[in-house]
Amino acid sequence: MSDVVAEQPPQGDTGFARLAMVTIDCADPIALASFYGELLGWETRHVDEHFAILDNPEGGSPLGFGRVTGYRPEPWTEPDGSKHFHLDFYVDDLEESTAKALALGATEPDYQHGRTLKVLIDPAGHPFGLAPLE
């Protein structure tokens, strides 16, 4: 994960495709949708034992969560491990937001490689970052 969170892209249609949804693999889509719904304050559009969708209230792409049989968390903190993806979120207060995410079920790994980005692990084992909105 980079210590820099990407700038907002310029508006306009420059490609021929639009992002429909980001789908995150997991063992329990209901639990992971609940975690991210609370973290982001997003509403659930659909939920069943195989798939869940959270709608972005700002009109952006939704987040999906899909059950994968035999799912194993990403070993990104292992010496030979890597992450498959990660999400970064802006927050108003890094310390307060970290505490809230931990209360929702996130965990904080010992290893932190950035100065301004706090890396946490969601309940399914995916890393995500919290960055102060400054």
Side-chain angles (χ1 to χ4, degrees), residues 38-126:
E38 289 290 325
L39 183 81
L40 298 169
W42 291 14
E43 296 291 323
T44 302
R45 177 194 325 166
H46 170 84
V47 65
D48 64 38
E49 65 183 52
H50 301 287
F51 200 76
I53 299 172
L54 297 177
D55 277 331
N56 183 335
E58 297 172 356
S61 300
L63 280 177
F65 306 90
R67 181 181 300 277
V68 172
T69 303
Y71 171 80
R72 291 178 298 154
E74 301 167 17
W76 79 279
T77 58
E78 301 296 322
D80 60 345
S82 65
K83 60 184 183 288
H84 301 162
F85 78 96
H86 69 275
L87 301 170
D88 290 330
F89 303 103
Y90 284 122
V91 296
D92 291 325
D93 182 306
L94 185 58
E95 190 173 314
E96 178 183 339
S97 297
T98 298
K100 286 180 178 179
L102 293 171
L104 290 172
T107 57
E108 185 175 348
D110 292 333
Y111 176 70
Q112 295 287 322
H113 54 75
R115 293 179 306 277
T116 60
L117 184 75
K118 173 67 76 172
V119 176
L120 299 175
I121 308 295
D122 74 19
H126 304 104

